[in-house]
Amino acid sequence: MYSVIAYQAAYANSVSQIFHEAIHAIDDECYSAENKAAWSAKPRSSYHWHKRLLHSKSWIVVDRNQIVEGKPKCCGFINLETTYHSRGYIDSLYVHPEHQGKGLARKLYEVLELWAREQGYSELSVDASLLSKGVFLSYGFKQHHRSYQEKLGQVIMGFLMSKPL
């Protein structure tokens, strides 16, 4: 049984692994091996992910039927920037490859959107990847233009998208 819960520090290492494994599971036709290696050469430290998620509003989805190290297994995560300049920006949405296609991204997104509405946010935005563009379109986002991020000499293409609330 999957549940969405607030991010907890005990899951920082799981989040790091999910990020890395989800990126490297993307088909090479979407992003080259070189793109993926630049995007995530290796899992980042738990410290990095804990700090990143602690400074935003973050949730994880866990499988309560799978216990790992005494806690439900983390299967995915999402986080939302809450500072004035980037308020409402979805920084990350990743689901472990073994759990993709089960509606977990939607579960995470619905919790985020509900929270944003309750806080009075007027809009959500995201730089969606080639893979997640369709997911965000299905959530009602509109594409504005292509976006490009340079990482370790690789240009990774995405799409700037937004949704009024």
Side-chain angles (χ1 to χ4, degrees):
M1 178 179 83
Y2 294 105
S3 300
V4 176
I5 62 172
Y7 165 75
Q8 300 167 17
Y11 287 101
N13 189 56
S14 296
V15 164
S16 177
Q17 286 299 129
I18 289 166
F19 176 81
H20 182 72
E21 291 178 32
I23 287 170
H24 286 275
I26 297 172
D27 191 302
D28 286 345
E29 290 184 21
C30 286
Y31 292 103
S32 70
E34 295 80 14
N35 283 161
K36 294 184 285 187
W39 197 342
S40 181
K42 62 182 181 178
R44 300 282 304 258
S45 71
S46 297
Y47 177 80
H48 165 84
W49 278 103
H50 178 63
K51 286 295 194 184
R52 184 169 173 176
L53 298 180
L54 194 61
H55 294 299
S56 61
K57 188 66 179 170
S58 309
W59 297 268
I60 60 174
V61 61
V62 296
D63 182 348
R64 296 197 181 280
N65 293 329
Q66 291 186 5
I67 305 300
V68 177
E69 297 176 2
K71 61 188 185 302
K73 181 181 180 179
C74 182
C75 304
F77 68 99
I78 193 168
N79 72 307
L80 183 71
E81 297 295 325
T82 57
T83 60
Y84 179 75
H85 176 69
S86 55
R87 186 175 187 229
Y89 178 78
I90 300 170
D91 178 52
S92 301
L93 172 56
Y94 292 92
V95 174
H96 191 279
E98 292 176 3
H99 298 275
Q100 291 176 2
K102 298 178 180 178
L104 302 185
R106 181 169 292 279
K107 284 180 179 287
L108 287 162
Y109 174 76
E110 287 172 352
V111 168
L112 178 146
E113 183 179 311
L114 177 63
W115 183 88
R117 286 180 184 278
E118 289 172 348
Q119 304 308 307
Y121 283 38
S122 60
E123 180 180 74
L124 296 175
S125 62
V126 66
D127 277 300
S129 68
L130 286 165
L131 191 64
S132 66
K133 176 184 173 187
V135 171
F136 284 103
L137 287 170
S138 76
Y139 300 160
F141 280 73
K142 301 292 183 217
Q143 177 186 328
H144 296 288
H145 57 78
R146 289 184 180 187
S147 60
Y148 300 90
Q149 295 181 13
E150 189 274 329
K151 295 177 188 281
L152 300 177
Q154 292 289 311
V155 176
I156 301 171
M157 188 186 73
F159 303 90
L160 180 61
M161 304 175 80
S162 68
K163 175 184 179 177
L165 296 180

